[in-house]
Amino acid sequence: MTAIYDAIVIGSGAGGAAAAYRLAEAGRGVLVFEKGQQLPTDGSTLDADVVLRQGRYRNQDPWIDRNGKPFVPSEFYNLGGKTKWYGAALLRFSPNEFMDEPTHRHRGWPFGYDELAPYYDEAETLLNVRRFEIEPDTKRIVARIERVAPDWRCAPMPLGLSPRILDDPQEAVRFDGFASVTGLKSDAETCLLDRIRDKPNVTIATGKPILALLGDERAPERIVGVVGEDGSTHRADAVLLAAGALSSPRLLQGYLAAAGLAETLPAASSVGRNYKSHLLTAVVGWSPSRKRDRLRKTVMMTHARFPHSSVQPLGATDGKIVATELPAFAPDWIANLIGDRAYGFFLQTEDGSHPDNRVIAAINGDDRPRLDYDRDRIARSRDEHRGFVRTFAIDLMRAGLIPIVKPVPLGGTAHACGTLIVGDNPADSVVDQSGRVHGLQGLYVVDGSILPRSSRVNPSLTIYAWALRVAHKLIESKGERQ
């Protein structure tokens, strides 16, 4: 059957939207499948009770951990993916974070920073990245921390936010962890999909989960399309996986098992392995005085003794957010008392790669996928994070705020990556430098699952840049339709 599309993209988050944008702008026929729907603009995505307590827009599909205990990953299936909720902190990986570091089990990229630099530039332009003036409360807190502990360093945070957000108090205090109603956050839908959705060569299908990859019956090493959960089949010259580090490897695992390639394809043994999501801890500092900053997330802090770790403020905390963590009978005045004086921080440490930290699809009768992840396998990363959190909490207290430490559990998958990592050797990686899966034709990966390292900062901008690069290479490749 003749392919109708040049490319099918599975997923509409950072990677899927960036690849679809680049291919569509080059005149390619693109079909984007998104499992979820477009988010409403009725204000509910800014409502703390709806988003946090009710979890209306969050994934509800159960998984099991390494011990068989059920949990629910904090994933979002909607047009624009997780970028609608997070994704405003748009930082580059540093050049040294493309290199391997065996002592911490950090696997290097198959190329250096310079190869991705022009795509970083393009992504920053498309996403309207800018830096905002540091607000008064944030400036005072950071100055106190630097004064009591000079090893701390502060740098402005590059953000994908419209400058008009400062004129919208509701949006300003709800951009971090909430979805913008008026398009003031630079998410994948607003900045990329909206540019191409009306093109005649682009089809965006929402509410369309993909069940399986479709291979050539005579040559299973050739991927020719996808099969939807509704039984429909769709064909294209290239299929781009962008369903995320938890879903993309499961689609590939299912295909390799069904096609009889799980034992013969060299890269198959690495599919789903080397899962990373940063070691994450939230620290809330409580102050006797009220905190009035709106954005807050305008700086990043690092410490000389912890080279793989960083701190960034969380978005504004108020009584409505605090109330979602308190018992339902707690009076509003208590929530407001805490929220008005609370200032949150997000601490993250790059976790190393370990092949046993992995995603395992629900195969052989098991109805739930498994996330087997153990911090003890990456002891150097674990120990750095513990020391980093302890140091920050002590210095925060010395700066006049009472710290409350809350580790982010396994279900906190905002930065999930690494399950289909890029590398030159098919024996220990899944995709090559062009983004194509080793040993398969027509299948590419453009989401965060390719990241061999997660760095000490948020991965979103790097995923955008990688996807733009893969799409560019795909357009240029001799085997693609012109």
Side-chain angles (χ1 to χ4, degrees), residues 215-216 219-221 252-266 268 440:
D216 188 321
E221 295 83 7
L252 184 51
Q253 287 171 344
Y255 178 75
L256 295 177
L261 297 174
E263 303 298 327
T264 59
L265 199 72
L440 295 181

Side-chain angles (χ1 to χ4, degrees), residues 7-23:
I8 290 174
V9 181
I10 306 173
S12 65
Y21 165 80
R22 172 55 58 234
L23 292 167

Side-chain angles (χ1 to χ4, degrees), residues 94-118:
S94 62
N96 67 288
E97 289 172 330
F98 283 76
M99 302 169 62
D100 66 335
E101 196 173 344
T103 57
H104 282 72
R105 303 191 70 98
H106 294 159
R107 294 183 49 152
W109 290 67
F111 51 75
Y113 170 88
D114 290 346
E115 174 66 24
L116 210 58

Side-chain angles (χ1 to χ4, degrees), residues 75 82 86-87 245 275-278 280 312 346 348 351 412-418 448 451 454 457-460 463:
E75 295 290 290
K82 287 188 284 190
Y86 315 118
Y275 172 82
K276 294 179 288 294
S277 190
H278 283 132
L280 303 171
Q312 56 188 253
F346 192 59
Q348 57 191 38
D351 42 356
T413 56
H415 295 180
C417 59
L451 297 178
S454 57
V457 300
N458 309 42
S460 297
I463 297 171

Side-chain angles (χ1 to χ4, degrees), residues 2 179 203 212 222 277-278 440 464 481:
T2 302
T203 300
R222 171 70 182 175
S277 190
H278 283 132
L440 295 181
Y464 282 115
R481 198 161 62 198

Side-chain angles (χ1 to χ4, degrees), residues 1-49:
M1 181 183 295
T2 302
I4 298 176
Y5 297 95
D6 294 296
I8 290 174
V9 181
I10 306 173
S12 65
Y21 165 80
R22 172 55 58 234
L23 292 167
E25 288 292 297
R28 301 302 194 267
V30 181
L31 172 58
V32 178
F33 281 109
E34 169 53 51
K35 178 178 180 179
Q37 300 285 353
Q38 188 170 11
L39 290 172
T41 57
D42 58 3
S44 59
T45 61
L46 297 175
D47 187 314
D49 185 74

Side-chain angles (χ1 to χ4, degrees), residues 149-475:
D151 281 340
W152 287 102
R153 296 289 182 270
C154 174
M157 174 76 78
L159 292 170
L161 295 175
S162 166
R164 293 184 291 109
I165 199 170
L166 296 174
D167 300 322
D168 190 324
Q170 184 184 30
E171 289 268 3
V173 300
R174 287 287 186 271
F175 83 87
D176 189 20
F178 296 84
S180 174
V181 172
T182 56
L184 297 179
K185 182 159 65 174
S186 298
D187 57 65
E189 180 191 12
T190 302
C191 291
L192 296 169
L193 296 179
D194 280 355
R195 296 173 186 253
I196 62 172
R197 67 165 74 239
D198 294 328
K199 287 180 173 289
N201 56 317
V202 175
T203 300
I204 299 175
T206 57
K208 298 291 185 181
I210 295 302
L211 177 66
L213 301 173
L214 181 66
D216 188 321
E217 294 180 357
R218 295 170 296 180
E221 295 83 7
R222 171 70 182 175
I223 303 299
V224 297
V226 299
V227 180
E229 280 194 356
D230 59 3
S232 61
T233 60
H234 308 267
R235 294 174 175 260
D237 291 339
V239 174
L240 282 65
L241 279 175
L246 295 181
S247 296
S248 287
R250 290 187 289 143
L251 280 169
L252 184 51
Q253 287 171 344
Y255 178 75
L256 295 177
L261 297 174
E263 303 298 327
T264 59
L265 199 72
S269 62
S270 296
V271 174
R273 296 186 183 273
N274 301 297
Y275 172 82
K276 294 179 288 294
S277 190
H278 283 132
L279 301 176
L280 303 171
T281 298
V283 175
V284 177
W286 194 82
S287 168
S289 61
R290 290 185 175 183
K291 298 290 175 275
R292 303 183 186 277
D293 289 354
R294 291 178 177 177
L295 294 180
R296 304 194 184 190
K297 201 183 189 79
T298 54
V299 298
M300 184 183 79
M301 299 184 68
T302 56
H303 193 285
R305 294 208 324 268
F306 305 98
H308 310 101
S309 303
S310 68
V311 179
Q312 56 188 253
L314 292 167
T317 302
D318 58 21
K320 293 180 179 179
I321 291 178
V322 170
T324 66
E325 298 289 336
L326 298 177
F329 58 79
D332 290 344
W333 69 265
I334 292 181
N336 291 331
L337 177 69
I338 298 172
D340 289 348
R341 292 162 174 79
Y343 198 104
F345 298 89
F346 192 59
L347 282 64
Q348 57 191 38
T349 299
E350 178 176 7
D351 42 356
S353 293
H354 194 289
D356 291 338
N357 286 338
R358 59 186 302 201
V359 167
I360 305 171
I363 301 176
N364 299 326
D366 191 342
D367 62 349
R368 291 176 295 179
R370 179 187 297 266
L371 180 55
D372 186 342
Y373 183 83
D374 186 352
R375 293 185 175 196
D376 291 340
R377 295 169 180 156
I378 47 171
R380 293 292 292 271
S381 302
R382 177 204 63 198
D383 293 345
E384 176 172 333
H385 188 67
R386 287 174 177 172
F388 186 61
V389 172
R390 182 168 55 249
T391 297
F392 181 75
I394 291 172
D395 292 343
L396 189 64
M397 185 163 54
R398 293 170 64 197
L401 280 76
I402 301 172
I404 302 171
V405 177
K406 184 177 181 180
V408 176
L410 182 66
T413 56
H415 295 180
C417 59
T419 51
L420 298 172
I421 62 173
V422 62
D424 289 330
N425 186 356
D428 65 1
S429 64
V430 181
V431 307
D432 63 18
Q433 293 192 31
S434 70
R436 184 174 62 85
V437 174
H438 291 301
L440 295 181
Q441 300 175 40
L443 184 63
Y444 298 79
V445 184
V446 292
D447 59 29
S449 60
I450 68 93
L451 297 178
R453 292 193 61 169
S454 57
S455 94
R456 64 182 178 182
V457 300
N458 309 42
S460 297
L461 187 68
T462 301
I463 297 171
Y464 282 115
W466 164 263
L468 289 170
R469 179 182 176 276
V470 170
H472 178 74
K473 300 291 184 185
L474 188 56
I475 293 165

